[in-house]
Amino acid sequence: MENQRESYRWVIIFLLFLSLFFGSLAMNCVPPLLTEISGEIPLTKAQMGTVMGVTMLAALFFAPVGGGMSDKIGCRWAIGAGAVVLALSSALRSVAYSSSALIGYMFALGAGMAIIYANVPKSLGLWVPPNEMARANGISMAGISVGMAVGMGISAGYLSPTFGGWRGTMLLLAAFALVMAILWMLFYRDRTGVSADTDQQQNFAGNFKKVFKDREIILLAIFY
């Protein structure tokens, strides 16, 4: 039984790595493609900056929402929902014909990504023992950096020429994100018997008040 649980925790780590990898890839494929995109959608330099910056703005609002979602419906459904939002917003970028539409879809993509990564610690904590959490979290979060590097490196030189331009690239990455949403929903299960009681989980506002009374958490938030 213990061997099965240990094997399963590596499945979870692998799925989280891939989810963050493909999410980061979908997000960070854009900067090298901005010159090509601006050939079809006129973009000022300020708008180019907004296209990417708005994804971080979305995280400000949707990371807390993503954390609250897992308390209500569990990590399986929360990350699944985030991955679907990410996939749909990536696909919608392929039919954007104005700067405002592109910026709006990038905001939605950032929201989906924020929902996913806000749930990584809890998803791991339900299955990974405390003495292995740092390693498991590090491996999972590495997906963001690897996805960023790959997205920056191959989107303009390989993906766009191979898949019919930047619009085809957005559709391809949307398909990857959708596959990850399906795999996550198929293979991840929230572990029962280790979470807080229902009343405590659903007391969203009360939990936030407790969190913001913790000096160490405030310091971490300021640091990030």
Side-chain angles (χ1 to χ4, degrees), residues 14-80:
F14 182 65
L15 288 174
L16 287 172
F17 175 90
L18 287 181
S19 297
L20 293 172
F21 169 79
F22 285 119
S24 182
L25 179 60
M27 185 184 300
N28 291 284
C29 73
V30 173
L33 295 172
L34 282 174
T35 300
E36 182 182 349
I37 293 171
S38 62
E40 296 184 33
I41 303 174
L43 294 170
T44 65
K45 289 185 177 180
Q47 288 170 329
M48 290 181 182
T50 302
V51 164
M52 290 306 299
V54 77
T55 59
M56 298 297 102
L57 180 64
L60 175 65
F61 299 102
F62 285 93
V65 170
M69 285 174 63
S70 68
D71 290 338
K72 294 281 188 179
I73 60 177
C75 296
R76 177 172 177 250
W77 287 99
I79 289 183

Side-chain angles (χ1 to χ4, degrees), residues 4 6 33 43 51 58 91 100 103 108 116 123-125 130 136-138 153 188 211 213 216 220 224:
Q4 290 179 342
E6 185 173 352
L33 295 172
L43 294 170
V51 164
S100 58
I103 290 169
I116 293 172
S123 300
L124 292 172
N137 191 62
Y188 185 83
V211 165
K213 289 180 180 178
E216 302 302 324
L220 280 172
Y224 275 104

Side-chain angles (χ1 to χ4, degrees), residues 157-178:
Y158 177 74
L159 294 181
S160 180
T162 304
F163 296 96
W166 71 272
R167 296 184 187 276
T169 300
M170 301 304 165
L171 285 174
L172 173 71
L173 299 180
F176 285 148
L178 184 59

Side-chain angles (χ1 to χ4, degrees), residues 211-212 214-224:
V211 165
F212 282 103
D214 190 314
R215 178 176 176 273
E216 302 302 324
I217 291 178
I218 294 298
L219 291 174
L220 280 172
I222 293 171
F223 171 80
Y224 275 104

Side-chain angles (χ1 to χ4, degrees), residues 115-221:
I115 292 171
I116 293 172
Y117 69 65
N119 281 282
V120 170
K122 184 175 179 180
S123 300
L124 292 172
L126 291 174
W127 290 99
V128 177
N131 64 314
E132 296 181 13
M133 266 296 294
R135 179 178 61 173
N137 191 62
I139 293 171
S140 300
M141 287 297 187
I144 297 176
S145 299
V146 177
M148 182 184 298
V150 173
M152 291 284 192
I154 70 171
S155 58
Y158 177 74
L159 294 181
S160 180
T162 304
F163 296 96
W166 71 272
R167 296 184 187 276
T169 300
M170 301 304 165
L171 285 174
L172 173 71
L173 299 180
F176 285 148
L178 184 59
V179 168
M180 281 311 309
I182 294 170
L183 290 175
W184 177 260
M185 294 298 295
L186 285 175
F187 290 103
Y188 185 83
R189 292 292 182 271
D190 287 301
R191 188 177 174 190
T192 58
V194 294
S195 57
D197 62 81
T198 303
D199 291 339
Q200 185 178 354
Q201 287 185 20
Q202 294 182 351
N203 187 10
F204 187 75
N207 289 340
F208 257 85
K209 289 179 181 179
K210 291 179 182 178
V211 165
F212 282 103
K213 289 180 180 178
D214 190 314
R215 178 176 176 273
E216 302 302 324
I217 291 178
I218 294 298
L219 291 174
L220 280 172

